[in-house]
Coordinates of all heavy atoms in Angstrom, one line a residue:
M1 N -26.2 82.4 5.0 CA -26.2 83.0 3.7 C -25.9 84.5 3.6 O -26.7 85.3 4.1 CB -27.7 82.7 3.1 CG -27.9 81.3 2.7 SD -26.8 80.5 1.5 CE -27.2 81.5 0.1
I2 N -24.7 84.7 3.2 CA -24.2 86.0 3.1 C -23.9 86.3 1.6 O -23.3 85.5 0.9 CB -22.9 86.3 3.9 CG1 -23.1 85.9 5.4 CG2 -22.4 87.7 3.8 CD1 -24.1 86.8 6.1
G3 N -24.4 87.5 1.1 CA -24.3 87.7 -0.3 C -23.1 88.8 -0.5 O -22.7 89.4 0.3
Y4 N -22.7 88.8 -1.8 CA -21.7 89.7 -2.2 C -22.0 90.1 -3.7 O -22.3 89.2 -4.5 CB -20.3 89.0 -2.2 CG -19.1 90.0 -2.3 CD1 -18.5 90.5 -1.1 CD2 -18.6 90.3 -3.5 CE1 -17.4 91.4 -1.3 CE2 -17.5 91.1 -3.7 CZ -16.9 91.7 -2.5 OH -15.8 92.5 -2.6
T5 N -21.9 91.3 -4.0 CA -22.3 91.8 -5.3 C -21.1 92.5 -5.9 O -20.6 93.4 -5.3 CB -23.5 92.8 -5.3 OG1 -24.6 92.1 -4.6 CG2 -23.9 93.3 -6.6
T6 N -20.8 92.2 -7.2 CA -19.6 92.8 -7.8 C -19.7 92.6 -9.4 O -20.5 91.9 -9.9 CB -18.3 92.2 -7.3 OG1 -17.2 93.0 -7.8 CG2 -18.2 90.8 -7.7
Y7 N -18.9 93.3 -10.1 CA -18.6 93.2 -11.5 C -17.4 92.3 -11.7 O -16.5 92.3 -11.0 CB -18.4 94.5 -12.2 CG -19.5 95.4 -12.4 CD1 -19.9 96.4 -11.4 CD2 -20.3 95.3 -13.5 CE1 -21.0 97.1 -11.6 CE2 -21.5 96.1 -13.7 CZ -21.8 97.1 -12.7 OH -22.8 97.9 -12.9
V8 N -17.5 91.4 -12.8 CA -16.5 90.5 -13.1 C -15.2 91.3 -13.3 O -14.1 91.0 -12.7 CB -16.8 89.7 -14.4 CG1 -15.5 88.9 -14.9 CG2 -17.9 88.8 -14.1
D9 N -15.2 92.3 -14.2 CA -14.0 93.0 -14.5 C -13.4 93.8 -13.4 O -12.2 94.0 -13.2 CB -14.2 93.9 -15.7 CG -15.2 95.0 -15.5 OD1 -16.2 94.8 -14.7 OD2 -15.2 96.0 -16.3
R10 N -14.3 94.4 -12.5 CA -13.8 95.3 -11.4 C -13.3 94.4 -10.3 O -12.5 94.8 -9.4 CB -15.0 96.1 -10.8 CG -15.8 96.9 -11.9 CD -14.9 97.6 -12.9 NE -14.4 98.9 -12.4 CZ -13.4 99.7 -12.9 NH1 -13.0 99.3 -14.0 NH2 -13.1 100.8 -12.4
F11 N -13.7 93.1 -10.1 CA -13.3 92.2 -9.1 C -12.2 91.3 -9.4 O -11.2 91.2 -8.8 CB -14.6 91.3 -8.7 CG -14.4 90.5 -7.4 CD1 -14.3 91.1 -6.2 CD2 -14.1 89.1 -7.6 CE1 -14.1 90.3 -5.1 CE2 -14.0 88.3 -6.5 CZ -14.0 88.9 -5.2
G12 N -12.3 90.6 -10.6 CA -11.3 89.6 -11.0 C -10.7 89.8 -12.3 O -9.9 89.0 -12.7
G13 N -11.2 90.9 -13.1 CA -10.7 91.1 -14.4 C -11.5 90.2 -15.4 O -12.0 90.7 -16.4
T14 N -11.5 88.9 -15.2 CA -12.1 88.0 -16.1 C -12.8 86.9 -15.2 O -12.7 86.9 -14.0 CB -11.1 87.3 -17.0 OG1 -10.2 86.6 -16.2 CG2 -10.4 88.3 -17.9
L15 N -13.6 86.0 -15.9 CA -14.2 85.0 -15.1 C -13.2 84.1 -14.5 O -13.3 83.7 -13.3 CB -15.1 84.1 -16.1 CG -16.4 84.8 -16.5 CD1 -17.1 84.0 -17.5 CD2 -17.3 85.2 -15.3
P16 N -12.1 83.7 -15.1 CA -11.0 83.0 -14.4 C -10.4 83.7 -13.3 O -10.1 83.1 -12.2 CB -10.0 82.6 -15.5 CG -10.7 82.7 -16.8 CD -11.8 83.7 -16.6
G17 N -10.4 85.0 -13.4 CA -9.9 85.8 -12.3 C -10.8 85.8 -11.1 O -10.3 85.8 -10.0
V18 N -12.1 85.8 -11.4 CA -13.0 85.6 -10.3 C -12.9 84.3 -9.6 O -12.9 84.1 -8.4 CB -14.5 85.8 -10.7 CG1 -15.5 85.5 -9.7 CG2 -14.7 87.2 -11.3
A19 N -12.7 83.2 -10.4 CA -12.6 81.9 -9.9 C -11.3 81.8 -9.0 O -11.3 81.1 -7.9 CB -12.4 80.9 -11.0
A20 N -10.3 82.5 -9.3 CA -9.1 82.5 -8.5 C -9.3 83.2 -7.1 O -8.6 82.9 -6.2 CB -8.0 83.2 -9.2
R21 N -10.4 84.0 -7.1 CA -10.7 84.7 -5.8 C -11.7 84.0 -5.0 O -12.2 84.6 -3.9 CB -11.1 86.2 -6.1 CG -9.9 87.0 -6.6 CD -8.9 87.2 -5.6 NE -7.7 87.9 -6.1 CZ -6.7 88.3 -5.3 NH1 -6.6 87.9 -4.0 NH2 -5.7 89.0 -5.8
V22 N -12.1 82.8 -5.3 CA -13.1 82.1 -4.6 C -12.7 81.9 -3.1 O -13.5 82.1 -2.2 CB -13.5 80.8 -5.2 CG1 -14.3 79.8 -4.3 CG2 -14.3 81.1 -6.5
P23 N -11.4 81.6 -2.8 CA -11.0 81.4 -1.4 C -11.2 82.7 -0.6 O -11.5 82.6 0.6 CB -9.5 81.1 -1.5 CG -9.4 80.3 -2.9 CD -10.3 81.1 -3.8
Y24 N -11.0 83.8 -1.2 CA -11.2 85.1 -0.6 C -12.7 85.2 -0.2 O -13.0 85.6 1.0 CB -10.8 86.3 -1.5 CG -11.2 87.7 -1.0 CD1 -10.3 88.3 0.0 CD2 -12.4 88.3 -1.3 CE1 -10.7 89.6 0.5 CE2 -12.7 89.5 -0.8 CZ -11.9 90.1 0.1 OH -12.2 91.4 0.6
L25 N -13.6 84.9 -1.1 CA -15.0 85.0 -0.8 C -15.4 84.0 0.3 O -16.2 84.3 1.2 CB -15.8 84.7 -2.0 CG -15.7 85.7 -3.1 CD1 -16.3 85.2 -4.4 CD2 -16.3 87.1 -2.7
Q26 N -14.8 82.8 0.3 CA -15.1 81.8 1.3 C -14.7 82.2 2.7 O -15.4 82.1 3.6 CB -14.4 80.5 1.0 CG -15.0 79.7 -0.1 CD -14.3 78.4 -0.3 OE1 -13.2 78.4 -0.8 NE2 -14.9 77.2 0.1
A27 N -13.5 82.8 2.8 CA -13.0 83.3 4.0 C -13.8 84.5 4.6 O -14.0 84.6 5.8 CB -11.6 83.8 3.9
L28 N -14.4 85.3 3.7 CA -15.3 86.4 4.1 C -16.6 85.8 4.6 O -17.3 86.6 5.3 CB -15.5 87.3 2.9 CG -16.3 88.6 3.1 CD1 -15.6 89.4 4.2 CD2 -16.3 89.4 1.8
G29 N -17.0 84.6 4.2 CA -18.3 84.0 4.6 C -19.4 84.1 3.5 O -20.5 83.9 3.9
V30 N -19.0 84.4 2.3 CA -20.0 84.6 1.3 C -20.5 83.2 0.8 O -19.7 82.2 0.6 CB -19.3 85.3 0.0 CG1 -20.2 85.3 -1.2 CG2 -18.9 86.7 0.5
R31 N -21.8 83.2 0.6 CA -22.4 82.0 0.0 C -23.4 82.2 -1.1 O -24.0 81.3 -1.6 CB -23.2 81.2 1.1 CG -22.3 80.5 2.2 CD -23.0 79.4 2.9 NE -23.4 78.4 1.9 CZ -24.5 77.7 2.1 NH1 -25.3 77.9 3.1 NH2 -24.9 76.8 1.2
Y32 N -23.4 83.5 -1.5 CA -24.3 83.9 -2.6 C -23.6 85.0 -3.3 O -23.3 86.1 -2.8 CB -25.6 84.4 -2.0 CG -26.6 85.1 -3.0 CD1 -27.6 84.3 -3.5 CD2 -26.5 86.4 -3.3 CE1 -28.6 84.9 -4.4 CE2 -27.4 87.0 -4.2 CZ -28.5 86.2 -4.7 OH -29.4 86.8 -5.5
L33 N -23.1 84.8 -4.5 CA -22.3 85.8 -5.3 C -23.1 86.3 -6.5 O -23.5 85.5 -7.4 CB -21.1 85.2 -5.9 CG -20.2 86.0 -6.7 CD1 -19.7 87.2 -6.0 CD2 -19.0 85.1 -7.3
H34 N -23.5 87.6 -6.5 CA -24.1 88.2 -7.6 C -23.0 88.9 -8.5 O -22.5 89.9 -8.1 CB -25.1 89.2 -7.2 CG -25.8 89.9 -8.3 ND1 -26.5 91.1 -8.1 CD2 -25.8 89.7 -9.6 CE1 -27.0 91.6 -9.2 NE2 -26.6 90.8 -10.2
L35 N -22.8 88.3 -9.6 CA -21.9 88.9 -10.7 C -22.8 89.7 -11.6 O -23.6 89.1 -12.4 CB -21.1 87.8 -11.4 CG -20.1 87.1 -10.6 CD1 -19.3 86.1 -11.5 CD2 -19.0 88.1 -10.1
L36 N -22.6 91.0 -11.6 CA -23.3 91.8 -12.5 C -23.0 91.5 -14.0 O -22.2 90.7 -14.3 CB -23.0 93.3 -12.2 CG -23.6 93.7 -10.9 CD1 -22.9 94.7 -10.1 CD2 -25.1 94.1 -11.1

């Protein structure tokens, strides 16, 4: 369980933009995403 904390707009611009970056989070090893 590795966490990652970020803002939607600063990370992906929008919620769909965050969804598009899920493979990046998976490759990093993230299993807990805190979206501010």
Side-chain angles (χ1 to χ4, degrees):
M1 287 300 294
I2 304 295
Y4 193 92
T5 303
T6 188
Y7 284 91
V8 171
D9 59 334
R10 313 309 282 169
F11 185 76
T14 61
L15 291 173
V18 173
R21 290 295 178 176
V22 168
Y24 173 85
L25 295 170
Q26 286 182 287
L28 187 58
V30 171
R31 291 204 55 216
Y32 174 96
L33 175 63
H34 176 194
L35 289 180
L36 286 151

